[in-house]
């Protein structure tokens, strides 16, 4: 069984405090850590439409898009997703997560899939990310061996 999961607005919802904690856990310390903290903290943005600009607002989450660091910081943010479940291959591509579950029994497969999805959902909640429910897919390939 392959389960395709898509995160909703993933790049825009990266929590800065969680990201900084993960950078620290990966050994980013000292001046480099301070640089990342300054890069993410006190950022402001505004929108201009037809020459009229909105008020500036602080950006409290998300990684800067259009920069070389944006995708890298997002990958660091989701890198530990594999720790949320054991013995199940997970493939990541940007904000898409593919989960592979195998079993000889369809009943065991269903139970295992539900358990793994619940564990992944706990990881998503803890990391302040959410699934895009309309973009998820479950693909089950079954073979009766004579």
């Amino acid at each position: 069984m392959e389960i395709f999961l898509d995160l909703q607005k993933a790049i825009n919802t990266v929590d800065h405090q969680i990201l900084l904690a993960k950078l620290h856990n990966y050994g980013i310390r000292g001046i480099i850590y301070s640089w990342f903290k300054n890069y993410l903290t006190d950022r402001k943005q505004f929108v201009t439409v037809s020459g009229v600009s909105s008020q500036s607002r602080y950006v409290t989450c998300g990684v800067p898009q259009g920069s070389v660091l944006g995708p890298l910081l997002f990958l660091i943010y989701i890198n530990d997703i594999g720790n949320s479940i054991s013995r199940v291959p997970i493939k990541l591509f940007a904000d898409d997560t593919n989960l592979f579950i195998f079993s000889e029994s369809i009943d065991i497969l269903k139970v295992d899939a539900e358990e793994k999805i619940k564990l992944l959902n706990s990881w998503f909640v803890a990391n302040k990310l959410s699934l895009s429910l309309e973009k998820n897919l479950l693909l089950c390939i079954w073979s009766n061996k004579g």
Side-chain angles (χ1 to χ4, degrees), residues 9-17 19 36 39-41 43 45 58-65 67 69-71 73-74 77 127-129:
K9 300 180 182 178
I11 304 268
N12 296 327
T13 57
V14 168
D15 183 273
H16 292 168
Q17 295 307 312
L19 175 58
F36 276 111
Y39 181 70
L40 294 169
T41 306
R43 295 181 72 90
Q45 68 182 19
Y58 283 101
V59 178
T60 58
C61 61
V63 293
Q65 295 181 42
S67 71
L69 284 178
L73 291 173
F74 179 73
Y77 193 78
N127 287 277
K128 299 184 179 181
L129 297 172

Side-chain angles (χ1 to χ4, degrees), residues 110-126:
K110 287 179 188 177
V111 170
D112 202 23
E114 287 178 14
E115 176 189 327
K116 301 307 183 205
I117 290 171
K118 284 179 184 176
L119 289 171
L120 275 176
N121 189 56
S122 293
W123 185 91
F124 292 140
V125 169

Side-chain angles (χ1 to χ4, degrees), residues 86-105:
S86 60
R87 296 172 284 136
V88 174
I90 294 179
K91 301 293 181 197
L92 299 172
F93 181 76
D95 62 345
D96 296 320
T97 305
N98 293 0
L99 182 65
F100 300 91
I101 303 172
F102 305 95
S103 178
E104 300 275 331
S105 162

